[in-house]
Amino acid sequence: MPNKTYDAIIVGGGVMGCATAYYLLKTDPKLKVAILEKDPIYERASTPLSDGNTRIQFNIKENIQISQYGLEALARFSDDMEVNGEKPDAAFRQQGDLFILDEASREESYDGYLLQKSLGCDIRWLSQKEVQTYYPLYNLKDCVAGTFGPHDGTMSPMAVLLGYKKKVIELGANFIHAEVTEILERQNQITGVKLTSNEILNSKVVLNAAGAWAPEIARTAGVELPINPTKRQVTVIETNARPEKVLPLLFLPSGLYCIHESEGVFTVGKSFPDDYVGTNDFTWERKTFEADIWPELVEYFPSFDRLKIMRGWAGLYEVNTLDGNAILGEWPELKGFYLANGFSGHGFQQCHGVGRYIAELILGINPTLDLSIFSPQRILDKKPVFESRRKII
Ligand SMILES: Cc1cc2nc3c(=O)[nH]c(=O)nc-3n(C[C@H](O)[C@H](O)[C@H](O)COP(=O)(O)OP(=O)(O)OC[C@H]3O[C@@H](n4cnc5c(N)ncnc54)[C@H](O)[C@@H]3O)c2cc1C
């Protein structure tokens, strides 16, 4: 039987929960840490259903710095996560992210470009002509310029998650297959969690790392989070295009993105304002691609007028409806209740910097990277920090 009192309990064994456990145990190997995960094969967790992209191209300084640290962590990921001589491979492919800018997004993106440069990022401002060279399949519709991050790219999110998970188990974390039904507190101090089995695990520190399920679990402790679990769909297509080399990941101003996988194969996706909100629908709908995405694709990539739909899937974004950014830190009205929530579609890449930050907060260490801009206090104060003035994501 596991010891039922812990120094920290983590609700959710996705990438955020496991990365935080790693930084806790790396800093203090004697800690007793429990990670509770209701879905051990991660059928519905957002991490394995994500596109696995990381980019330096943000407009908020702290988001850029999180990505800079992410690149450092990825460079030594294989060595750091070694367990019994086995080194995980994140399959990080730095094909670069290319953002297409239209007249409306130009100025804001230029500000972001200057900020990224000032922080030492390798980032390029592209003319229309250069965009064409980087992405010959694109007909330049709506394009006034572009930005290209040569170190951005995609990887296997499951490999990163399992790398952290295996490592934390080796470091002594208790990874438990169980569903938390209630966060327990007494006089505004966390006391532990209750499981579906009615078992109670005790701790003065509980981290909510429950991804899209974070608002429902927070509510059991009387904490209301402005987070909507929102269905997002991804489709893999095979086209007749045969680019000479792997193309960058391309983002259109409308939010439509296109990841070149290999030869004629691309992964595409787009968020829509009426995407289903809730945690019960994971069906991928072919008609959404055919009716809402394909026509737009053809407008920008004329050679995609004939293609084969190979497969698709749906997963959940945890959309912070206040400002589209993470909510990080201790809830001001409940001592010991920590949040790593609300990542709104860019959480996978933030696991390294956020995991380190939350671990430092829990351990009372001065944070290596100050992420207090994303503090839960701003939720209570209703003071958003927007990445983009034009749209949340
Ligand atoms: C289609 C799609 C594409 C994406 N693309 C990207 C991308 O390219 N780059 C990027 O950075 N981000 C991307 N994201 C976002 C990213 O996947 C998430 O922000 C990130 O994975 C969140 O990690 P997490 O550990 O917080 O959540 P999750 O991976 O969802 O983990 C939370 C875990 O908590 C468990 N849990 C929930 N409730 C309970 C409970 N009561 N008891 C026990 N366990 C519980 C769940 O089973 C789950 O395993 C994408 C998301 C989707 C859906």
Side-chain angles (χ1 to χ4, degrees):
M1 280 290 281
N3 185 337
K4 290 186 182 151
T5 298
Y6 293 92
D7 296 309
I9 290 175
I10 298 176
V11 185
V15 81
M16 213 48 82
C18 289
T20 307
Y22 169 73
Y23 282 99
L24 280 170
L25 289 162
K26 186 179 162 214
T27 313
D28 184 350
K30 290 195 290 297
L31 289 175
K32 287 196 176 73
V33 176
I35 305 172
L36 305 174
E37 173 53 58
K38 65 177 177 177
D39 170 17
I41 60 164
Y42 298 112
E43 201 182 351
R44 296 188 155 191
S46 300
T47 302
L49 296 172
S50 94
D51 293 306
N53 182 243
T54 187
R55 59 184 156 96
I56 213 84
Q57 301 186 62
F58 285 95
N59 280 16
I60 293 177
K61 183 183 82 187
E62 288 78 359
N63 275 336
I64 299 168
Q65 290 171 318
I66 292 174
S67 294
Q68 286 179 305
Y69 177 64
L71 288 178
E72 282 174 39
L74 284 166
R76 34 163 227 270
F77 187 76
S78 203
D79 289 335
D80 286 353
M81 299 303 139
E82 179 176 349
V83 174
N84 293 332
E86 277 190 36
K87 295 184 174 199
D89 179 2
F92 188 21
R93 192 174 62 158
Q94 289 173 287
Q95 77 270 49
D97 284 11
L98 171 58
F99 280 78
I100 302 301
L101 311 178
D102 60 9
E103 207 45 68
S105 56
R106 189 182 196 285
E107 192 189 334
E108 193 174 67
S109 298
Y110 193 68
D111 292 345
Y113 160 78
L114 291 179
L115 180 60
Q116 292 150 29
K117 278 215 105 53
S118 74
L119 292 168
C121 302
D122 183 1
I123 179 79
R124 297 170 199 169
W125 184 267
L126 307 182
S127 66
Q128 263 193 340
K129 204 169 152 201
E130 287 165 322
V131 168
Q132 186 76 92
T133 317
Y134 276 77
Y135 216 96
L137 298 180
Y138 166 49
N139 65 5
L140 293 184
K141 182 173 172 357
D142 298 338
C143 175
V144 298
T147 54
F148 179 68
H151 304 290
D152 299 340
T154 52
M155 70 204 86
S156 161
M158 193 60 161
V160 174
L161 166 53
L162 292 182
Y164 274 122
K165 179 179 169 180
K166 287 180 182 164
K167 190 67 189 181
V168 297
I169 291 171
E170 187 200 55
L171 291 174
N174 206 340
F175 198 97
I176 303 170
H177 176 196
E179 179 168 356
V180 173
T181 52
E182 202 180 333
I183 307 282
L184 304 173
E185 54 102 13
R186 197 179 314 121
Q187 293 172 345
N188 299 328
Q189 162 67 59
I190 282 290
T191 59
V193 297
K194 189 173 177 185
L195 310 181
T196 37
S197 60
N198 280 330
E199 192 181 352
I200 286 175
L201 304 181
N202 306 304
S203 182
K204 287 189 171 161
V205 170
V206 169
L207 168 65
N208 185 349
W213 297 266
E216 69 183 44
I217 201 68
R219 198 166 297 127
T220 67
V223 174
E224 281 300 323
L225 298 177
I227 295 175
N228 278 348
T230 307
K231 177 175 157 181
R232 299 292 194 227
Q233 300 191 61
V234 176
T235 305
V236 184
I237 54 173
E238 183 166 14
T239 70
N240 290 327
R242 289 293 178 274
E244 282 171 11
K245 54 179 184 157
V246 176
L247 297 172
L249 193 162
L250 184 130
F251 290 88
L252 291 173
S254 67
L256 191 150
Y257 63 87
C258 193
I259 308 173
H260 185 205
E261 302 292 354
S262 64
E263 302 211 316
V265 178
F266 294 80
T267 300
V268 292
K270 184 179 178 182
S271 304
F272 294 97
D274 59 350
D275 280 337
Y276 171 82
V277 172
T279 52
N280 293 320
D281 183 2
F282 285 79
T283 48
W284 168 74
E285 290 148 295
R286 189 186 171 100
K287 69 173 175 8
T288 303
F289 175 80
E290 289 177 340
D292 302 329
I293 295 185
W294 194 6
E296 185 180 341
L297 264 183
V298 178
E299 271 181 54
Y300 294 87
F301 310 91
S303 63
F304 286 11
D305 59 341
R306 294 178 61 151
L307 52 80
K308 184 172 154 194
I309 299 174
M310 296 174 74
R311 64 192 178 94
W313 67 89
L316 298 175
Y317 273 20
E318 63 284 29
V319 175
N320 173 351
T321 55
L322 179 72
D323 60 17
N325 269 305
I327 305 171
L328 306 178
E330 190 176 32
W331 186 251
E333 297 171 346
L334 185 50
K335 198 161 167 33
F337 190 40
Y338 288 83
L339 309 174
N341 302 132
F343 296 98
S344 311
H346 55 266
F348 167 67
Q349 63 203 281
Q350 299 202 317
C351 66
H352 320 279
V354 168
R356 183 180 66 174
Y357 178 68
I358 298 288
E360 289 170 337
L361 290 186
I362 290 173
L363 296 173
I365 297 170
N366 210 13
T368 316
L369 178 59
D370 179 6
L371 299 179
S372 55
I373 187 173
F374 301 124
S375 84
Q377 186 64 48
R378 85 181 191 285
I379 304 299
L380 291 170
D381 296 343
K382 295 197 169 42
K383 287 195 175 146
V385 285
F386 289 113
E387 183 59 45
S388 162
R389 289 189 294 269
R390 292 173 305 117
K391 54 183 178 184
I392 276 196
I393 38 173

